[in-house]
């Protein structure tokens, strides 16, 4: 429910500080699981300045489970619009490179016809969905508003909290207080201010999650530092409406334009039907973002003036930073509070949403009493390496893009030398396609060495930014496939663990079911008879975790099913 006024309750199982994309997604995941939570968001409404435009296929797979995927698609670029990305000198100069993805409608039609133009179209029900972050948040907020377990509050700020532990994981008396479920203290105490009245209330929570963005109060209070590369570049983001702009250049619709000329370098994102844009202009060192005149900046890149109506102007800085820890006792970090990205590649929000999905079921397990002592710690052991991997990939995309933004008028010069220069540049620009086509990054991540995954000894496929290898190796994403009745296999997975039984004559899984039941671990059995599923999943029995990751697989029932179940719930570790 969405609430502004009214007193808070004295206790919530989970308090989420920050109600942006990640806080909303965590609230949705918890609410969908029936777990009560409070979300406090200091803004009085959603941030209307669009930042992310690329909703990853993985994120859409989670949203599909909540039934909001088509609302997100509809809220974005029209589904019949081509998805073109253009590298240009300026909007009045040359096209230097282009990548074209099929419109969403075409993708659906080719799937129904069983005709995939490329492997990439078969890896997920979605490619990239181009919907502004403000629109995405509005759809998720609407979903959250219908979830009785969620108490979402605009206009409330987390001031501080106490759980008796410091950043090194020790309690005030120097003893390690962590028994796995959060430490000797039963709760964390949060002081929360109602900004309209200045009233401060105190609530206790079993767990606190800081989804409070790059300046995270929660991270700062925990004393957690960020590692990596700070301040790759500073930008000013101009959000404006200019219906006539498309008529003043010759490129037609583009989802993103990358002007490379050093005087105009940055990127221009198109929203709606080619009338509204954000121009992210890279600032020179020491340049003040407030000194930028939006109308002049747009006229400069376009080569002539155009009428613009400015909606908002915001500065931002690209980083590649990851928190040293994602958890201290009962307090967790997720999203930008845990990692700060360069937006090149479109990974920041999407990585944060996957954090929320990893954490959601683990908090549920801890609250419902079926988590073992390693389960909550597995959150940072699984997600922090992905934070490092993805921030580094985004920084690599930034470095490659920035390297080709050093040129001036030679980009548009004529003559054989200029042609030769552009041909050479074209090779670099082809390399930039992973900015857009990044299924390997978005789908191919894996939780190598996780204490709650049972390895099966098979080798890992290469971790390549562009190419995803569908594989149900433990620690990887359960692969997507369409079933014979037209459903996605994900549509069959419940919110609990799913034991997928495949092949022509699989073993009887009842001993595994009994072991799960004895441990209190919620498990459903899903019989899938399609031969293609057996082929992709690579075993007769595959245990898919509540976050759609594979935890274990085998062709036979394990000798000690209880030991496997215990490892999946973080209660024991099998010898490798
Ligand atoms: C230009 C640009 C383009 C981008 N493009 C993409 C893209 O295409 N794809 C992608 O995945 N990512 C993209 N990103 C990154 C994405 O915007 C962020 O990663 C995402 O917003 C992180 O979400 P969050 O919820 O963690 O943090 P935020 O969106 O920062 O939300 C944090 C919220 O916490 C609130 N808050 C802070 N402190 C408190 C407190 N003490 N109490 C209560 N509330 C508090 C804030 O008001 C805010 O609403 C882009 C970013 C930029 C700048």
């Amino acid at each position: 429910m969405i609430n502004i006024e009214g007193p808070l309750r004295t206790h919530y199982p989970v308090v989420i500080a920050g109600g942006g994309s990640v806080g909303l997604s965590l609230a949705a995941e918890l609410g969908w699981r029936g777990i009560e939570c409070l979300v406090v968001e200091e803004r009085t409404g959603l941030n209307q300045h669009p930042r992310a435009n690329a909703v990853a296929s993985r994120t859409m797979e989670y949203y599909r489970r909540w039934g909001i995927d088509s609302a997100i698609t509809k809220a974005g670029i029209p589904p019949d619009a081509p998805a073109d990305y253009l590298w240009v000198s300026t909007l009045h100069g040359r096209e230097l490179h282009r990548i074209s993805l099929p419109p969403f409608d075409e993708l659906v039609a080719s799937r129904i016809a069983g005709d995939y133009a490329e492997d990439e179209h078969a890896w997920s029900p979605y490619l990239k969905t181009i919907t502004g972050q403000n629109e995405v948040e509005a759809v998720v907020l609407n979903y959250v508003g219908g979830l009785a377990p969620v108490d979402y509050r605009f206009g409330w700020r987390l001031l501080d909290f106490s759980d008796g532990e410091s950043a090194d994981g020790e309690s005030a008396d120097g003893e390690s207080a962590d028994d796995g479920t959060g430490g000797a203290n039963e709760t964390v105490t949060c002081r929360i201010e109602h900004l309209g009245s200045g009233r401060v209330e105190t609530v206790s929570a079993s767990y606190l999650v800081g989804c409070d963005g790059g300046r995270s109060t929660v991270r700062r209070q925990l004393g957690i530092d960020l590692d990596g590369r700070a301040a790759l570049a500073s930008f000013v983001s101009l959000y404006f409406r200019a219906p006539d702009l498309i008529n003043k250049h010759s490129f037609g619709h583009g989802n993103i334009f990358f002007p490379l000329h050093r005087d105009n370098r940055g990127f221009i994102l198109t929203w709606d039907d080619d009338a509204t844009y954000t121009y992210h202009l890279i600032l020179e060192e020491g340049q003040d973002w407030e000194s930028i005149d939006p109308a002049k900046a747009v006229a400069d890149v376009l080569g002539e003036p155009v009428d613009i109506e400015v909606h908002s102007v915001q500065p931002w800085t690209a980083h590649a930073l990851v928190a040293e820890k994602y958890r201290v006792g009962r307090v967790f970090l997720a999203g930008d509070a845990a990692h700060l990205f360069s937006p090149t590649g479109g990974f920041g929000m999407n990585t944060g949403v996957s954090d929320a999905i990893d954490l959601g079921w683990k908090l549920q397990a801890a609250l419902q009493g079926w988590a073992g002592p390693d389960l909550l710690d597995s959150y940072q052991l699984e997600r922090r390496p992905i934070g490092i991997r993805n921030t580094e990939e985004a920084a690599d995309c930034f470095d490659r893009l920035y390297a080709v933004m050093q040129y001036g008028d030679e980009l548009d010069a004529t003559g054989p030398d200029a042609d030769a220069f552009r041909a050479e540049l074209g090779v670099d620009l082809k390399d930039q396609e992973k900015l857009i086509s990044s299924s390997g990054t978005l789908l191919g991540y894996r939780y190598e060495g996780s204490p709650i995954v049972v390895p099966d000894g098979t080798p890992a496929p290469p971790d390549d930014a562009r190419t995803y290898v569908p594989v149900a190796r433990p620690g990887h994403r359960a692969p997507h496939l369409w079933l014979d009745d037209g459903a996605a296999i994900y549509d069959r997975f419940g919110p609990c663990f799913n034991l997928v039984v495949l092949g022509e004559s699989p073993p009887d899984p009842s001993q595994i079911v009994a072991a799960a039941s004895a441990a209190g671990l919620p498990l459903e059995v899903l019989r899938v008879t399609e031969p293609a599923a057996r082929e992709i999943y690579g075993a007769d029995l595959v245990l898919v975790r509540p976050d759609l990751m594979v935890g274990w697989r085998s062709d036979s029932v394990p000798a000690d099913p209880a030991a496997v179940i215990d490892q999946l719930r973080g209660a024991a570790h099998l010898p490798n």
Side-chain angles (χ1 to χ4, degrees):
M1 279 174 300
I2 299 161
N3 208 334
I4 293 179
E5 306 300 332
L8 304 175
R9 283 171 18 204
T10 53
H11 179 80
Y12 293 85
V14 182
V15 168
I16 301 171
S21 306
V22 176
L24 274 167
S25 296
L26 179 59
E29 179 71 5
L30 290 172
W32 181 63
R33 296 181 172 282
I35 302 298
E36 293 186 326
C37 60
L38 167 71
V39 187
V40 287
E41 167 52 56
E42 65 184 8
R43 287 178 175 273
T44 51
L46 293 175
N47 185 350
Q48 293 305 326
H49 190 96
R51 290 148 292 148
N53 79 329
V55 188
S57 46
R58 187 54 164 165
T59 303
M60 291 297 284
E61 290 169 358
Y62 308 133
Y63 290 171
R64 182 183 183 93
R65 302 182 95 189
W66 307 333
I68 61 170
D69 55 328
S70 56
I72 302 254
T73 310
K74 280 189 197 124
I77 296 276
D80 57 351
D84 286 333
Y85 300 82
L86 291 93
W87 286 254
V88 297
S89 55
T90 61
L91 287 183
H92 58 101
R94 285 180 189 255
E95 176 177 324
L96 300 163
H97 188 63
R98 179 188 287 250
I99 171 170
S100 299
L101 301 179
F104 183 77
D105 281 354
E106 208 175 283
L107 190 68
V108 173
S110 67
R111 169 178 62 82
I112 291 167
D115 163 30
Y116 295 112
E118 294 185 45
D119 285 351
E120 189 159 18
H121 302 171
W123 291 337
S124 169
Y126 315 91
L127 283 176
K128 274 195 171 130
T129 299
I130 306 302
T131 303
Q133 190 170 348
N134 51 336
E135 307 279 7
V136 173
E137 289 180 354
V139 173
V140 184
L141 179 68
N142 184 48
Y143 174 68
V144 159
L147 292 172
V150 182
D151 184 355
Y152 185 101
R153 306 284 182 131
F154 279 120
W156 293 73
R157 174 185 291 144
L158 175 78
L159 295 178
D160 49 36
F161 61 90
S162 59
D163 76 339
E165 284 196 88
S166 61
D168 58 7
E170 293 188 342
S171 60
D173 60 8
E175 296 292 314
S176 173
D178 193 352
D179 66 353
T181 54
N185 300 300
E186 291 290 304
T187 57
V188 43
T189 304
C190 305
R191 284 197 324 127
I192 297 173
E193 181 181 1
H194 177 247
L195 296 174
S197 62
R199 188 175 80 246
V200 175
E201 300 193 16
T202 300
V203 303
S204 72
S206 302
Y207 299 100
L208 167 66
V209 188
C211 298
D212 48 350
R215 296 197 175 83
S216 174
T217 300
V218 176
R219 189 186 67 233
R220 282 162 197 256
Q221 193 184 321
L222 290 172
I224 295 176
D225 288 334
L226 295 165
D227 284 337
R229 291 169 61 195
L232 305 180
S234 298
F235 291 74
V236 62
S237 169
L238 314 171
Y239 178 35
F240 62 95
R241 187 171 156 77
D244 209 21
L245 188 143
I246 182 116
N247 305 319
K248 293 192 178 252
H249 65 72
S250 56
F251 302 116
H253 169 83
N255 278 5
I256 305 183
F257 298 92
F258 298 98
L260 301 188
H261 193 294
R262 60 178 165 254
D263 292 344
N264 313 99
R265 59 190 164 196
F267 34 94
I268 301 171
L269 276 62
T270 307
W271 308 105
D272 59 44
D273 44 0
D274 296 302
T276 312
Y277 303 86
T278 37
Y279 181 13
H280 300 280
L281 177 65
I282 300 185
L283 297 169
E284 298 307 321
E285 202 152 331
Q287 194 175 12
D288 178 5
W289 66 275
E290 286 176 299
S291 70
I292 302 294
D293 172 357
K296 180 169 181 323
V298 175
D300 283 351
V301 71
L302 187 61
E304 60 177 301
V306 63
D307 284 340
I308 73 167
E309 179 195 339
V310 178
H311 293 324
S312 46
V313 177
Q314 290 186 0
W316 61 272
T317 305
H319 305 281
L321 293 170
V322 178
E324 285 175 326
K325 292 181 179 196
Y326 281 22
R327 176 196 180 197
V328 176
R330 296 184 170 271
V331 186
F332 298 81
L333 301 176
D336 276 17
H339 39 65
L340 283 168
F341 277 77
S342 158
T344 33
F347 305 132
M349 175 186 78
N350 291 304
T351 304
V353 174
S354 281
D355 294 342
I357 302 303
D358 186 281
L359 184 57
W361 71 271
K362 293 174 182 175
L363 291 175
Q364 175 190 13
L367 289 161
Q368 292 178 346
W370 51 273
D374 290 343
L375 191 67
L376 289 179
D377 247 356
S378 74
Y379 167 65
Q380 71 174 355
L381 294 172
E382 292 187 340
R383 293 305 303 169
R384 189 169 177 276
I386 305 304
I388 294 170
R389 167 190 185 263
N390 291 3
T391 49
E392 287 179 353
E393 174 57 21
D396 185 59
C397 288
F398 175 82
D399 290 342
R400 288 166 187 266
L401 183 62
Y402 194 62
V404 292
M405 289 179 159
Q406 311 304 322
Y407 305 108
D409 295 342
E410 62 269 37
L411 291 165
D412 291 308
T414 51
D417 286 354
D419 289 343
F421 159 68
R422 276 189 295 271
E424 211 174 301
L425 182 65
V427 176
D428 284 345
L429 296 182
K430 177 98 186 114
D431 249 15
Q432 314 262 328
E433 289 185 359
K434 67 175 187 154
L435 263 171
I436 308 302
S437 220
S438 49
S439 293
T441 303
L442 296 165
L443 303 177
Y445 60 95
R446 67 281 311 256
Y447 298 150
E448 212 62 54
S450 165
I452 61 158
V453 165
V454 186
D456 69 353
T458 54
D463 191 3
D464 174 69
R466 289 204 61 173
T467 311
Y468 163 70
V469 179
V471 63
R473 181 174 175 265
H476 290 244
R477 161 185 176 268
H480 154 75
L481 79 147
W482 297 106
L483 301 175
D484 290 347
D485 64 0
I489 194 167
Y490 283 3
D491 298 343
R492 298 278 184 271
F493 293 145
C496 52
F497 277 83
N498 290 271
L499 176 56
V500 193
V501 180
L502 302 122
E504 281 178 20
S505 48
D508 174 6
S510 53
Q511 286 181 55
I512 303 175
V513 175
S517 165
L521 179 139
L523 175 81
E524 281 174 14
V525 177
L526 175 66
R527 178 77 176 106
V528 177
T529 52
E530 281 84 346
R534 171 64 182 77
E535 199 178 315
I536 296 176
Y537 275 65
D540 285 348
L541 300 172
V542 180
L543 256 162
V544 176
R545 309 185 334 184
D547 54 356
L548 303 175
M549 301 296 284
V550 176
W552 169 87
R553 74 172 171 178
S554 176
D555 284 334
S556 52
V557 172
D560 185 355
V564 168
I565 294 296
D566 278 350
Q567 182 152 350
L568 295 175
R569 66 188 186 89
H573 201 65
L574 288 165
N576 282 335

